[in-house]
Amino acid sequence: MVTVKESTTRGAAQTGGARLQLIELTKVYGEVVAADRVTLDIAPGEFITLLGPSGSGKTTTLMMVAGFVIPTSGQILVNGEDIAFRPPHKRNIGMVFQNYALFPHMTVAENIAFPLKMRKWRRDEIERAVKEAVQLVRLPGFEERYPRQLSGGQQQRVALARALVFRPPVLLMDEPLGALDKKLREEMQLEIKHIQESLHITTIYVTHDQEEALTMSDRIAVMRDGRIEQVGTPRELYERPVSEFVANFIGESNFVEGRFERRDGRGYLVTADGWRIAVQSADDVSAGEPVTIALRPERIVLGEDRGDNRVEAIVEEIIYVGEATKFRVRVPGERLFSVKQPSRLETMRWQRGDRVLLSWRAEDAVVLRTRK
Amino acid sequence: MTTGKVLAERTYQESIISRRLELRRQLGYIVLLLPTLLLLLVLFVYPIARLIVTSVYDGNQFTLEHYRRIVEVDLYLRVLRTTFTIALQVTLLCLILGYPLAYFLASVRARTARLLMILVLIPFWTSILVRTYAWMVLLQRQGVFNRWLLELGLIDEPLRMMYNRIGVLVGMTHVLLPFMVLPAYAVMRGIDPNLLRAAYNLGASPFQAFLRVFLPLSLPGIAAGSLLVFILALGFFITPALMGGRTDMMIAQLIETQIRTQLNFPFAAALAAVLLIITLVIFAIYNRLLGLDKMFGGGY
């Protein structure tokens, strides 16, 4: 009787993920603050990526959620319940490890059944759930194989199936695609995203690959030195970075320092050597404040006048990368700019040493407060 | 000549050259192995062949009489049984003591593990004779242990810990323990710590994770260690000779008595051949089940 009841509640638990809140989560190792008051409110079913260079605290944060690192202070709330100090095996959180961590002495089916056996599911329930999970990751027919008989991509799928089969409300992924080649990685990105959406499972994904983060995430938290630098949708982060670090870590940017000026309701940056650049209006910045502007290489137009800013530059270097061509150009004040243009016949005619016209619109120059 | 023919001629000549180079490389390997091969042949293979020949000849007459004697005489069968029992007991003791030790070494940091490993290896490098005498000092009637126990009032009269099974087991286990710890440690070190984390994450308690993940993955190491200890224990001589009881004779002691006091070389040879065959059979079974090539890790 009890088992029947349990299986019905299990069925109910299958729909959707939990709300996950990290509150002031901190980890200190001796003198080093590996995670510094990390705070995130993740909605049920949301896919959030922790993005940052190595040592930025993203893995430490993930390990605290998984329970392998005990926080120095802070809270981890799953649907309001604090699990920060619960042992990992009592957390009911799915995780895909960087190297997959499949059990080499168990078959695919046994690997996937493992979390269900630990939860003492009935045998027929386990069989059915394993079958479903294998279908979910599109690996039917591979049940009796051992992990060593599978390709990297297939191992990845098994790891995902094993992490999802017990229908946890939260899924953690630690650079799960790092070991795969580019083509397969892009395929898996979409597939993981689709599975995640169909199960509506709350997901924290860790990567240092900005493209991967932009492709998959609902929101991205950019981390640096143990702290969250900025949280936002991929678009917000790319279009409106709050710092030079974010502007440079997600995509690439040209930076110019100066003071902010306002004239006729429009914003300008004036550099120390007198160059005046029309920038976004930036209402929260007061006149005279020292600021830096970030300008995306692909927002600059080469050889045509199509914006509020025009400047003459000399081509220093041309790098052809297939679909695009990158230029290094020298602009006023001996500054070097990166410019990226789609590869077309017009962009091909430029040569090193040519004088070219650069132009860009005021909105494309994002104003960042210069930090001390 | 057509171009095709010229090309064919060239590839033919190239194939001769490459074959010659290949041959030279193989010759190089043979030269490298030659000294060892000769040494083994002269000092190992030839004497063993002689030994077996000795065991089946009586004068110039072929006979299996000596082997029949081993199987038919109660005393000799008992020696064989004792030998196996002791080897098995020592293997079990080494397993009980060695597994937790190897587990501990495998879980501490690699640097610490290397330092602690020296502690395991120092006795390994000390002469068996020295270690056996040391145990005799500790275990004998008037020895260190008995004195302590008496002084603490835990016993009223000295315990017999020597010239019986206890002495043999203590001495042999001490000598053979590193043979269990080393392969077990090597295999355990190779187990990815993330596998245990994955097990915890999937809902396994620490005990379940050990039982279902760590233990099965460490089995090749235990098997290799047990094999080494068991086979070495079968042919042990010094420890049982010095610390064993008169009724607890092992096969190596029997062989020695046959040669030294009975001067019965053919019978001693037959006993030695039996020991050799048993050892080879155990190796064969192990190879069949687990593969000798995987003895020092790399199982999965």
Side-chain angles (χ1 to χ4, degrees), chain A residues 68 97 101 103 114 162, chain B residues 193-203:
Chain A
F68 301 129
F97 289 79
F103 304 125
F114 187 86
R162 190 179 65 175
Chain B
N194 260 350
L195 292 177
L196 286 175
R197 284 180 160 186
Y200 301 144
N201 169 258
L202 295 166

Side-chain angles (χ1 to χ4, degrees), chain A residues 123-305:
Chain A
R123 193 192 256 186
D124 55 324
E125 285 181 324
I126 292 180
E127 258 173 45
R128 204 180 50 221
V130 168
K131 205 172 162 191
E132 272 175 27
V134 168
Q135 267 159 4
L136 182 73
V137 298
R138 299 199 285 122
L139 272 182
F142 287 85
E143 288 89 342
E144 298 314 313
R145 298 229 191 150
Y146 283 91
R148 62 175 178 279
Q149 299 168 312
L150 302 178
S151 71
Q154 291 166 337
Q155 290 185 25
Q156 170 64 60
R157 286 160 198 272
V158 177
L160 188 62
R162 190 179 65 175
L164 292 172
V165 69
F166 56 102
R167 300 299 159 122
V170 175
L171 175 67
L172 309 177
M173 305 183 93
D174 185 12
E175 308 229 4
L177 305 178
L180 305 179
D181 62 60
K182 195 171 184 305
K183 200 97 186 167
L184 190 58
R185 201 160 60 219
E186 284 167 2
E187 251 175 65
M188 287 301 296
Q189 284 171 6
L190 291 181
E191 190 163 339
I192 290 173
K193 181 68 187 158
H194 291 154
I195 291 173
Q196 185 268 335
E197 274 172 357
S198 71
L199 298 176
H200 199 67
I201 183 172
T202 311
T203 303
I204 303 186
Y205 192 97
V206 162
T207 185
H208 62 263
D209 183 337
Q210 47 115 354
E211 224 176 284
E212 198 164 290
L214 291 172
T215 308
M216 303 178 78
S217 320
D218 295 321
R219 279 192 301 157
I220 300 171
V222 179
M223 293 194 71
R224 179 196 192 185
D225 298 335
R227 247 169 281 166
I228 293 183
E229 186 100 350
Q230 186 177 1
V231 192
T233 64
R235 202 180 182 126
E236 278 166 11
L237 288 187
Y238 193 82
E239 301 293 339
R240 293 284 172 265
V242 297
S243 67
E244 281 190 43
F245 179 78
V246 175
N248 228 0
F249 198 78
I250 298 184
E252 201 189 333
S253 288
N254 296 299
F255 297 105
V256 185
E257 282 177 36
R259 284 185 182 280
F260 191 72
E261 206 174 85
R262 208 183 298 275
R263 194 179 286 178
D264 311 328
R266 302 187 66 169
Y268 293 92
L269 174 96
V270 182
T271 65
D273 53 334
W275 187 16
R276 170 187 292 269
I277 302 170
V279 298
Q280 59 172 182
S281 49
D283 299 330
D284 55 333
V285 183
S286 47
E289 205 177 318
V291 292
T292 302
I293 58 158
L295 181 59
R296 298 288 183 193
E298 76 278 8
R299 298 290 164 86
I300 301 175
V301 180
L302 204 68
E304 274 175 77
D305 183 359

Side-chain angles (χ1 to χ4, degrees), chain B residues 112-182:
Chain B
T112 320
R114 277 197 295 275
L115 287 174
L116 291 170
M117 194 48 95
I118 294 173
L119 295 181
V120 176
L121 287 174
I122 285 173
F124 189 56
W125 293 326
T126 314
S127 145
I128 293 182
L129 208 58
V130 171
R131 280 187 283 169
T132 305
Y133 277 121
W135 274 114
M136 291 169 76
V137 172
L138 292 174
L139 294 181
Q140 62 187 256
R141 224 176 140 72
Q142 309 298 326
V144 180
F145 283 167
N146 269 323
R147 225 174 42 233
W148 281 352
L149 291 173
L150 281 170
E151 275 170 18
L152 286 169
L154 292 170
I155 51 171
D156 295 327
E157 52 181 82
L159 295 174
R160 284 186 52 92
M161 293 183 283
M162 250 180 68
Y163 308 121
N164 60 13
R165 186 63 66 84
I166 297 173
V168 176
L169 292 182
V170 168
M172 285 177 67
T173 303
H174 180 232
V175 171
L176 291 173
L177 191 59
F179 291 97
M180 180 65 80
V181 174
L182 289 175

Side-chain angles (χ1 to χ4, degrees), chain A residues 68 89 93 99 102 105 119, chain B residues 192 195 200-202 204 212:
Chain A
F68 301 129
H89 67 280
I93 286 177
N99 56 358
L102 297 176
H105 58 301
R119 284 166 176 77
Chain B
D192 179 2
L195 292 177
Y200 301 144
N201 169 258
L202 295 166
R212 286 168 172 276

